[in-house]
Coordinates of all heavy atoms in Angstrom, one line a residue:
M1 N 19.9 14.4 13.6 CA 19.0 15.0 14.5 C 19.1 14.3 15.8 O 19.1 13.1 15.9 CB 17.6 15.0 13.9 CG 16.5 15.4 14.9 SD 14.8 15.2 14.4 CE 14.8 16.4 13.1
T2 N 19.1 15.0 16.9 CA 19.1 14.5 18.2 C 17.6 14.5 18.7 O 17.0 15.6 18.7 CB 20.0 15.3 19.2 OG1 21.3 15.2 18.7 CG2 19.9 14.7 20.6
I3 N 17.1 13.4 19.2 CA 15.8 13.2 19.7 C 15.8 13.0 21.2 O 16.5 12.0 21.6 CB 15.0 12.1 19.0 CG1 14.9 12.4 17.5 CG2 13.6 11.9 19.6 CD1 14.3 11.3 16.7
A4 N 15.2 13.7 22.0 CA 15.0 13.5 23.4 C 13.8 12.6 23.6 O 12.8 12.7 22.9 CB 14.8 14.8 24.2
T5 N 13.9 11.6 24.5 CA 12.8 10.7 24.7 C 12.5 10.6 26.2 O 13.4 10.8 27.0 CB 13.1 9.4 24.1 OG1 11.9 8.6 24.1 CG2 14.2 8.6 24.8
G6 N 11.3 10.3 26.6 CA 11.0 10.1 28.0 C 9.6 9.5 28.1 O 9.0 9.2 27.1
D7 N 9.2 9.4 29.3 CA 7.9 8.8 29.6 C 6.8 9.7 30.0 O 5.8 9.3 30.5 CB 8.1 7.7 30.6 CG 8.5 8.2 32.0 OD1 8.8 9.5 32.0 OD2 8.6 7.5 32.9
H8 N 6.9 11.0 29.7 CA 5.8 11.9 30.0 C 5.7 13.0 28.9 O 6.7 13.3 28.2 CB 6.0 12.5 31.4 CG 7.1 13.4 31.5 ND1 8.4 13.0 31.8 CD2 7.2 14.8 31.4 CE1 9.2 14.0 31.8 NE2 8.5 15.1 31.6
F9 N 4.6 13.6 28.8 CA 4.3 14.6 27.8 C 5.0 15.9 28.2 O 4.8 16.3 29.4 CB 2.8 14.8 27.7 CG 2.4 15.7 26.6 CD1 2.4 15.3 25.3 CD2 1.9 17.0 26.9 CE1 2.0 16.1 24.3 CE2 1.5 17.8 25.9 CZ 1.5 17.4 24.6
V10 N 5.7 16.5 27.3 CA 6.4 17.8 27.6 C 5.5 18.9 27.2 O 5.1 19.1 26.1 CB 7.8 17.9 26.8 CG1 8.4 19.2 27.0 CG2 8.7 16.7 27.2
D11 N 5.1 19.7 28.3 CA 4.2 20.8 28.0 C 4.5 22.1 28.7 O 3.6 22.9 28.9 CB 2.8 20.3 28.3 CG 2.6 20.0 29.7 OD1 3.5 20.0 30.5 OD2 1.4 19.8 30.1
D12 N 5.8 22.3 29.1 CA 6.1 23.5 29.8 C 7.4 24.0 29.3 O 8.3 23.3 28.9 CB 6.0 23.4 31.3 CG 7.1 22.5 31.9 OD1 8.2 23.0 32.0 OD2 6.8 21.3 32.2
A13 N 7.6 25.3 29.4 CA 8.8 26.0 28.9 C 10.1 25.6 29.6 O 11.1 25.5 29.0 CB 8.6 27.5 29.0
D14 N 10.0 25.3 30.9 CA 11.2 24.9 31.7 C 11.7 23.6 31.2 O 12.9 23.4 31.0 CB 10.9 24.8 33.2 CG 10.7 26.2 33.8 OD1 11.1 27.2 33.2 OD2 10.0 26.3 34.9
A15 N 10.8 22.6 30.9 CA 11.2 21.3 30.4 C 11.9 21.5 29.0 O 12.9 20.8 28.7 CB 10.1 20.4 30.4
V16 N 11.3 22.3 28.2 CA 11.8 22.5 26.8 C 13.2 23.1 26.9 O 14.1 22.7 26.2 CB 10.9 23.5 26.0 CG1 11.5 23.9 24.7 CG2 9.5 22.8 25.8
A17 N 13.4 24.1 27.8 CA 14.7 24.7 27.9 C 15.8 23.7 28.4 O 16.9 23.7 27.9 CB 14.6 25.9 28.9
S18 N 15.4 22.8 29.3 CA 16.3 21.8 29.8 C 16.7 20.8 28.7 O 17.8 20.4 28.5 CB 15.6 21.0 30.9 OG 16.5 20.0 31.4
I19 N 15.7 20.4 27.9 CA 15.9 19.5 26.8 C 16.8 20.1 25.7 O 17.7 19.5 25.1 CB 14.6 19.1 26.2 CG1 13.8 18.1 27.2 CG2 14.7 18.4 24.8 CD1 12.4 17.9 26.9
R20 N 16.6 21.4 25.4 CA 17.4 22.1 24.4 C 18.9 22.1 24.8 O 19.8 22.1 23.9 CB 16.9 23.5 24.2 CG 15.6 23.5 23.3 CD 15.3 24.9 22.9 NE 14.1 24.8 22.0 CZ 13.1 25.6 22.0 NH1 13.1 26.7 22.8 NH2 12.1 25.4 21.2
T21 N 19.2 22.1 26.1 CA 20.6 22.1 26.5 C 21.3 20.8 26.1 O 22.5 20.7 26.0 CB 20.8 22.3 28.0 OG1 20.2 21.3 28.7 CG2 20.2 23.7 28.4
L22 N 20.5 19.8 25.9 CA 21.1 18.5 25.4 C 21.3 18.4 23.9 O 21.9 17.5 23.4 CB 20.1 17.3 25.8 CG 19.7 17.2 27.2 CD1 18.6 16.2 27.4 CD2 20.9 16.8 28.1
G23 N 20.9 19.5 23.2 CA 21.1 19.5 21.8 C 19.9 18.9 21.0 O 20.0 18.7 19.8
A24 N 18.9 18.5 21.7 CA 17.7 17.8 21.1 C 16.9 18.9 20.4 O 16.7 20.0 20.9 CB 16.9 17.1 22.1
T25 N 16.4 18.5 19.2 CA 15.5 19.3 18.5 C 14.1 18.8 18.4 O 13.2 19.4 17.8 CB 16.0 19.6 17.1 OG1 16.2 18.3 16.4 CG2 17.3 20.3 17.1
L26 N 13.9 17.6 18.9 CA 12.6 16.9 18.9 C 12.4 16.1 20.2 O 13.4 15.5 20.6 CB 12.5 16.0 17.7 CG 11.3 15.2 17.5 CD1 10.1 16.1 17.1 CD2 11.5 14.1 16.4
V27 N 11.2 16.1 20.7 CA 10.9 15.2 21.9 C 9.9 14.2 21.4 O 8.9 14.5 20.8 CB 10.3 16.1 23.0 CG1 9.9 15.1 24.2 CG2 11.3 17.1 23.5
D28 N 10.2 13.0 21.7 CA 9.4 11.8 21.2 C 9.3 10.8 22.3 O 10.2 10.5 23.0 CB 10.2 11.2 20.0 CG 9.5 10.0 19.5 OD1 9.8 8.9 20.0 OD2 8.7 10.1 18.6
M29 N 8.1 10.3 22.5 CA 7.8 9.3 23.5 C 7.8 7.9 23.0 O 7.8 6.9 23.8 CB 6.5 9.6 24.2 CG 6.5 10.9 25.0 SD 5.0 11.4 25.7 CE 4.6 10.0 26.7
E30 N 7.8 7.6 21.7 CA 7.7 6.3 21.2 C 8.9 5.7 20.5 O 9.2 4.6 20.6 CB 6.5 6.2 20.2 CG 5.2 6.6 20.8 CD 4.9 8.1 20.9 OE1 5.6 8.9 20.1 OE2 4.0 8.6 21.6
T31 N 9.5 6.5 19.6 CA 10.5 6.0 18.7 C 11.7 5.4 19.4 O 12.2 4.4 18.9 CB 11.0 7.2 17.8 OG1 9.9 7.7 17.1 CG2 11.9 6.7 16.7
Y32 N 12.1 5.9 20.5 CA 13.3 5.3 21.2 C 13.1 3.8 21.4 O 14.0 3.1 21.2 CB 13.6 6.1 22.5 CG 14.8 5.5 23.2 CD1 16.1 5.8 22.8 CD2 14.6 4.5 24.2 CE1 17.1 5.3 23.5 CE2 15.7 4.0 24.9 CZ 16.9 4.3 24.5 OH 18.0 3.8 25.1
A33 N 12.0 3.4 21.9 CA 11.7 2.0 22.2 C 11.8 1.2 20.9 O 12.4 0.1 20.9 CB 10.4 1.8 22.8
Y34 N 11.3 1.7 19.8 CA 11.3 0.9 18.5 C 12.8 0.7 18.1 O 13.2 -0.4 17.7 CB 10.6 1.6 17.4 CG 9.1 1.8 17.7 CD1 8.5 3.0 17.3 CD2 8.3 0.8 18.2 CE1 7.2 3.3 17.6 CE2 7.0 1.0 18.5 CZ 6.4 2.3 18.1 OH 5.1 2.5 18.3
I35 N 13.6 1.8 18.1 CA 14.9 1.8 17.7 C 15.8 0.9 18.6 O 16.6 0.1 18.2 CB 15.5 3.2 17.6 CG1 14.8 3.9 16.5 CG2 17.0 3.2 17.4 CD1 15.1 5.4 16.4
W36 N 15.5 0.9 19.9 CA 16.3 0.1 20.9 C 16.1 -1.3 20.6 O 17.0 -2.1 20.5 CB 15.8 0.5 22.3 CG 16.6 -0.2 23.4 CD1 17.8 0.3 23.9 CD2 16.3 -1.4 24.0 NE1 18.2 -0.6 24.9 CE2 17.3 -1.7 25.0 CE3 15.3 -2.4 23.9 CZ2 17.3 -2.8 25.8 CZ3 15.3 -3.5 24.7 CH2 16.3 -3.7 25.6
V37 N 14.8 -1.7 20.4 CA 14.5 -3.2 20.1 C 15.1 -3.6 18.8 O 15.7 -4.7 18.7 CB 13.0 -3.4 20.2 CG1 12.7 -4.8 19.6 CG2 12.5 -3.2 21.6
A38 N 14.9 -2.8 17.7 CA 15.5 -3.1 16.4 C 17.0 -3.3 16.5 O 17.6 -4.2 15.9 CB 15.1 -2.0 15.4
E39 N 17.7 -2.4 17.2 CA 19.1 -2.5 17.3 C 19.5 -3.8 18.0 O 20.5 -4.5 17.6 CB 19.6 -1.3 18.1 CG 21.1 -1.2 18.2 CD 21.6 0.0 18.9 OE1 21.7 0.0 20.2 OE2 21.9 1.0 18.2
R40 N 18.8 -4.1 19.1 CA 19.2 -5.4 19.8 C 19.0 -6.6 19.0 O 19.8 -7.6 19.2 CB 18.3 -5.5 21.1 CG 18.5 -4.4 22.2 CD 19.9 -4.2 22.6 NE 20.1 -3.2 23.6 CZ 20.4 -1.9 23.3 NH1 20.4 -1.5 22.1 NH2 20.6 -1.1 24.3
F41 N 18.1 -6.6 18.0 CA 17.9 -7.8 17.2 C 18.5 -7.7 15.8 O 18.3 -8.5 15.0 CB 16.4 -8.0 17.1 CG 15.7 -8.6 18.3 CD1 15.1 -7.8 19.2 CD2 15.8 -10.0 18.6 CE1 14.6 -8.2 20.4 CE2 15.3 -10.5 19.8 CZ 14.7 -9.6 20.7
G42 N 19.2 -6.6 15.6 CA 19.9 -6.4 14.3 C 19.0 -6.2 13.1 O 19.3 -6.5 12.0
V43 N 17.8 -5.6 13.4 CA 16.9 -5.3 12.4 C 17.0 -3.8 11.9 O 16.9 -2.9 12.8 CB 15.4 -5.6 12.9 CG1 14.4 -5.3 11.9 CG2 15.3 -7.0 13.4
P44 N 17.1 -3.6 10.6 CA 17.2 -2.2 10.2 C 15.8 -1.6 10.4 O 14.8 -2.2 10.3 CB 17.5 -2.3 8.7 CG 17.5 -3.7 8.3 CD 17.3 -4.6 9.6
I45 N 15.8 -0.3 10.7 CA 14.5 0.4 10.9 C 14.6 1.8 10.3 O 15.6 2.5 10.4 CB 14.2 0.4 12.4 CG1 12.8 1.1 12.7 CG2 15.3 1.2 13.2 CD1 12.3 0.9 14.1
T46 N 13.5 2.2 9.8 CA 13.3 3.6 9.3 C 12.1 4.1 10.0 O 11.1 3.5 10.0 CB 13.1 3.7 7.8 OG1 14.3 3.2 7.1 CG2 12.9 5.1 7.4
V47 N 12.2 5.3 10.6 CA 11.1 5.8 11.4 C 10.7 7.2 10.7 O 11.5 8.0 10.5 CB 11.5 6.1 12.8 CG1 10.3 6.7 13.6 CG2 11.9 4.8 13.5
L48 N 9.4 7.3 10.3 CA 8.9 8.5 9.8 C 8.0 9.1 10.9 O 7.1 8.5 11.4 CB 8.1 8.3 8.6 CG 8.8 7.6 7.4 CD1 7.8 7.4 6.3 CD2 9.9 8.5 6.9
K49 N 8.3 10.3 11.3 CA 7.6 11.0 12.3 C 7.0 12.3 11.8 O 7.6 13.0 11.0 CB 8.5 11.4 13.5 CG 9.1 10.2 14.2 CD 8.1 9.4 15.1 CE 7.6 10.2 16.2 NZ 6.7 9.5 17.1
A50 N 5.8 12.6 12.2 CA 5.2 13.9 11.9 C 5.1 14.6 13.3 O 4.6 14.0 14.3 CB 3.8 13.8 11.3
V51 N 5.6 15.8 13.4 CA 5.6 16.5 14.6 C 4.2 17.1 14.9 O 3.6 17.8 14.1 CB 6.6 17.7 14.6 CG1 6.6 18.5 15.9 CG2 8.0 17.1 14.4
S52 N 3.6 16.7 16.0 CA 2.2 17.0 16.3 C 2.1 18.3 17.1 O 1.0 18.8 17.2 CB 1.5 15.8 17.0 OG 2.2 15.6 18.3
D53 N 3.1 18.7 17.8 CA 3.0 19.9 18.6 C 4.4 20.5 18.8 O 5.4 19.9 18.6 CB 2.3 19.7 19.9 CG 3.0 18.6 20.8 OD1 4.0 19.0 21.3 OD2 2.5 17.5 20.8
S54 N 4.4 21.7 19.4 CA 5.7 22.4 19.6 C 6.2 22.2 21.0 O 7.2 22.9 21.3 CB 5.5 23.9 19.3 OG 4.5 24.4 20.2
A55 N 5.6 21.4 21.8 CA 6.1 21.1 23.1 C 6.3 22.4 24.0 O 7.3 22.6 24.6 CB 7.4 20.3 23.1
Q56 N 5.4 23.3 23.9 CA 5.4 24.5 24.7 C 4.2 24.5 25.6 O 3.4 23.6 25.6 CB 5.4 25.7 23.7 CG 6.6 25.8 22.8 CD 7.9 26.2 23.6 OE1 7.9 26.8 24.7 NE2 9.0 25.7 23.1
D57 N 4.0 25.6 26.3 CA 2.9 25.7 27.2 C 1.5 25.5 26.5 O 0.6 25.1 27.1 CB 2.9 27.1 27.9 CG 4.0 27.2 28.9 OD1 4.4 26.2 29.5 OD2 4.5 28.3 29.0
D58 N 1.5 25.8 25.2 CA 0.2 25.6 24.5 C 0.3 24.3 23.6 O -0.4 24.3 22.5 CB -0.1 26.8 23.6 CG 1.0 27.1 22.6 OD1 2.1 26.4 22.6 OD2 0.8 27.9 21.7
A59 N 1.0 23.3 24.0 CA 1.2 22.1 23.2 C 0.0 21.4 22.9 O -0.2 20.8 21.8 CB 2.2 21.2 23.8
I60 N -1.0 21.4 23.8 CA -2.2 20.6 23.6 C -3.1 21.4 22.6 O -3.5 22.5 22.9 CB -2.9 20.3 24.9 CG1 -2.0 19.5 25.8 CG2 -4.3 19.7 24.7 CD1 -2.5 19.3 27.2
T61 N -3.4 20.8 21.5 CA -4.2 21.4 20.4 C -5.4 20.5 20.1 O -5.5 19.5 20.7 CB -3.3 21.7 19.2 OG1 -2.9 20.4 18.7 CG2 -2.1 22.6 19.4
D62 N -6.1 21.0 19.1 CA -7.3 20.1 18.7 C -6.7 18.9 18.0 O -6.0 18.9 17.0 CB -8.1 20.9 17.7 CG -9.2 20.0 17.2 OD1 -9.9 19.3 17.9 OD2 -9.5 20.1 15.9
W63 N -6.9 17.7 18.7 CA -6.3 16.5 18.2 C -6.8 16.1 16.8 O -6.0 15.6 16.0 CB -6.7 15.4 19.2 CG -6.0 14.1 18.9 CD1 -6.6 12.9 18.6 CD2 -4.6 13.8 18.9 NE1 -5.6 12.0 18.4 CE2 -4.4 12.5 18.5 CE3 -3.4 14.6 19.1 CZ2 -3.1 11.9 18.4 CZ3 -2.2 14.0 18.9 CH2 -2.1 12.7 18.6
R64 N -8.0 16.3 16.5 CA -8.5 15.9 15.1 C -7.8 16.6 14.0 O -7.3 16.0 13.0 CB -10.0 16.1 15.0 CG -10.8 15.1 15.8 CD -12.3 15.3 15.6 NE -12.9 14.8 16.8 CZ -14.0 15.4 17.4 NH1 -14.5 16.4 16.9 NH2 -14.5 14.8 18.5
S65 N -7.6 17.9 14.2 CA -6.9 18.7 13.1 C -5.4 18.3 13.1 O -4.8 18.3 12.0 CB -7.1 20.2 13.3 OG -6.5 20.6 14.5
T66 N -4.8 18.0 14.3 CA -3.4 17.6 14.3 C -3.2 16.3 13.6 O -2.3 16.2 12.8 CB -3.0 17.5 15.8 OG1 -3.1 18.8 16.4 CG2 -1.5 17.0 15.9
V67 N -4.1 15.3 13.9 CA -4.0 14.0 13.2 C -4.1 14.2 11.7 O -3.4 13.6 10.9 CB -5.0 13.0 13.8 CG1 -5.1 11.8 13.0 CG2 -4.6 12.7 15.2
A68 N -5.1 15.0 11.3 CA -5.3 15.2 9.8 C -4.1 15.8 9.2 O -3.6 15.3 8.1 CB -6.5 16.0 9.6
A69 N -3.5 16.8 9.8 CA -2.3 17.4 9.2 C -1.1 16.5 9.2 O -0.4 16.4 8.2 CB -1.9 18.7 10.0
C70 N -0.9 15.8 10.3 CA 0.2 14.8 10.3 C 0.0 13.7 9.3 O 1.0 13.2 8.7 CB 0.4 14.3 11.8 SG 1.0 15.5 12.9
S71 N -1.2 13.2 9.2 CA -1.4 12.1 8.2 C -1.1 12.6 6.8 O -0.6 11.8 6.0 CB -2.9 11.7 8.3 OG -3.2 11.1 9.6
A72 N -1.5 13.8 6.5 CA -1.2 14.3 5.2 C 0.3 14.4 4.9 O 0.8 14.0 3.8 CB -1.9 15.7 5.0
Q73 N 1.1 14.9 5.9 CA 2.5 14.9 5.8 C 3.1 13.6 5.6 O 4.0 13.4 4.7 CB 3.1 15.6 7.0 CG 2.9 17.0 7.2 CD 3.4 17.6 8.5 OE1 3.5 16.9 9.5 NE2 3.8 18.9 8.5
L74 N 2.7 12.6 6.4 CA 3.2 11.2 6.3 C 2.9 10.6 4.9 O 3.7 9.9 4.3 CB 2.8 10.4 7.4 CG 3.4 10.7 8.8 CD1 2.7 9.9 9.9 CD2 4.9 10.4 8.8
R75 N 1.6 10.8 4.5 CA 1.2 10.3 3.2 C 2.1 10.8 2.1 O 2.6 10.1 1.2 CB -0.3 10.6 2.9 CG -0.7 10.0 1.6 CD -2.2 10.4 1.3 NE -2.4 11.8 1.2 CZ -3.3 12.5 1.9 NH1 -4.1 11.9 2.7 NH2 -3.4 13.8 1.8
T76 N 2.4 12.1 2.1 CA 3.2 12.7 1.1 C 4.6 12.1 1.1 O 5.2 11.8 0.0 CB 3.3 14.3 1.3 OG1 1.9 14.8 1.2 CG2 4.2 14.9 0.3
E77 N 5.2 12.0 2.3 CA 6.5 11.4 2.4 C 6.6 10.0 1.9 O 7.5 9.6 1.2 CB 7.0 11.5 3.8 CG 8.4 11.1 4.0 CD 9.4 11.9 3.3 OE1 9.2 13.1 3.1 OE2 10.5 11.4 3.0
I78 N 5.6 9.2 2.3 CA 5.6 7.8 1.8 C 5.4 7.7 0.3 O 6.1 6.9 -0.3 CB 4.5 7.0 2.6 CG1 4.9 6.8 4.0 CG2 4.2 5.6 1.9 CD1 3.8 6.3 4.9
R79 N 4.6 8.5 -0.2 CA 4.4 8.4 -1.7 C 5.7 8.8 -2.4 O 6.0 8.2 -3.4 CB 3.2 9.4 -2.1 CG 1.9 8.8 -1.8 CD 0.8 9.7 -2.3 NE -0.5 9.0 -2.1 CZ -1.7 9.6 -2.2 NH1 -1.7 10.9 -2.4 NH2 -2.8 8.9 -2.1
S80 N 6.3 9.9 -2.0 CA 7.5 10.4 -2.7 C 8.7 9.5 -2.4 O 9.6 9.2 -3.3 CB 7.8 11.8 -2.3 OG 8.2 11.9 -1.0
G81 N 8.8 9.0 -1.2 CA 10.0 8.2 -0.8 C 10.0 6.7 -1.1 O 11.0 6.1 -1.4
Y82 N 8.7 6.2 -1.2 CA 8.6 4.8 -1.4 C 7.8 4.4 -2.6 O 7.5 3.2 -2.9 CB 8.0 4.1 -0.2 CG 8.9 4.2 1.0 CD1 8.7 5.3 1.9 CD2 9.9 3.3 1.3 CE1 9.6 5.5 3.0 CE2 10.7 3.5 2.4 CZ 10.5 4.5 3.2 OH 11.4 4.7 4.3
G83 N 7.3 5.4 -3.4 CA 6.5 5.1 -4.6 C 5.2 4.4 -4.3 O 4.7 3.7 -5.2
V84 N 4.6 4.6 -3.2 CA 3.4 3.9 -2.9 C 2.2 4.9 -3.0 O 2.2 6.0 -2.6 CB 3.4 3.3 -1.4 CG1 2.1 2.7 -1.1 CG2 4.5 2.4 -1.3

């Protein structure tokens, strides 16, 4: 998967169209920094992400319901993938 990263929230159709031309299917503002640092220090890293919005004009949603849904997805993945 190709992840686009940047320092601002993507919330308009023109930005999404530009990002798609790069082959990216996900826009993320945090993971790139974690991976960059881990790579520089030779530390293996696994990143689990839950997609919180669709990065469109209506990307801003009710944050509480988004966090609850993402938390449930991550909990399921951790339980099945790591036996915790």
